Amino acid sequence: MSLLHQPQVGKLLACLLLFSLPLLGLCQDAAMAEDGEMQETTTDETTLVVIDQDVFAVRPLENLIADALENSPLLKVQALNVDNISHKIRILDREWTNYIAAIGTAQVGNIRFIDDLQSVNEIDFRTITRENTFYSIGLHFRLPLGDFMTKSDRKALLSNQLEQEKLVHQDREMRVRELVIRQYHELQLKVKLIEVRSKDLDFHKVSAESAEKYFREGNMTLEEYTDAISLRNKAEAVLEETKMGARLAFQILGETVGKDIRAN
């Protein structure tokens, strides 16, 4: 075979290599097991995927939703708004007490008097001490016609506000539930993608090692070898991006729930 056909031979070998890589891997594992030199075949990336799956394991979805509803600041504020309107309605029902007032006074004290008694022959001065007690009890009524005439309308307004606040509370609960469900499934998807990207990286690593071997033997062109190395590097970058996305999704879900989301 002439040298002019060597690039075509290299391309043909590369195609055969892609189809034979899984079989080569199985044969290598079997040979290592027979020689008693079987080592851990799990790559660092595969081991990391297992660790990441354990780290990203979270509690059941319904538990996360319940904690998010309990710890949501917006729902707490809305619950206070509902409670405030309820208090205003109770105050309005007792407004009649503002129109009645009890009045009472009491005075107790000693008063000293000096009496000047005069007769035909002499003047007689006498000091007299008297104890006096004064008290009064009464009721005061005020009849504001404007308050009585508008009470029913004012109570209707407060009742409508109460219903509005309850509906807003329900809407916010629904939004919190939707947010937790969406973030939970986004996390699960990213964890699955880690596993997929890891397998893809393993494949390209084996391809790059085989490409390097064939390149050194002169059976593969520099361009083909460079492409194999580039695909491996790209797979590594994609896997790291996927891991970072999973970490971010895990932290965001934890912030939304407001409590530790890790599985026990």
Side-chain angles (χ1 to χ4, degrees), residues 2 5 43 73 79 100 119 132 138 144 150-151 172 198 227 233 254:
S2 64
H5 295 285
T43 62
I100 301 175
S119 62
N132 299 301
T150 60
K151 181 177 180 179
R172 290 184 175 178
S198 179
D227 290 341
N233 296 339

Side-chain angles (χ1 to χ4, degrees), residues 1-10:
M1 181 178 294
S2 64
L3 295 177
L4 294 176
H5 295 285
Q6 287 183 357
Q8 296 179 355
V9 174

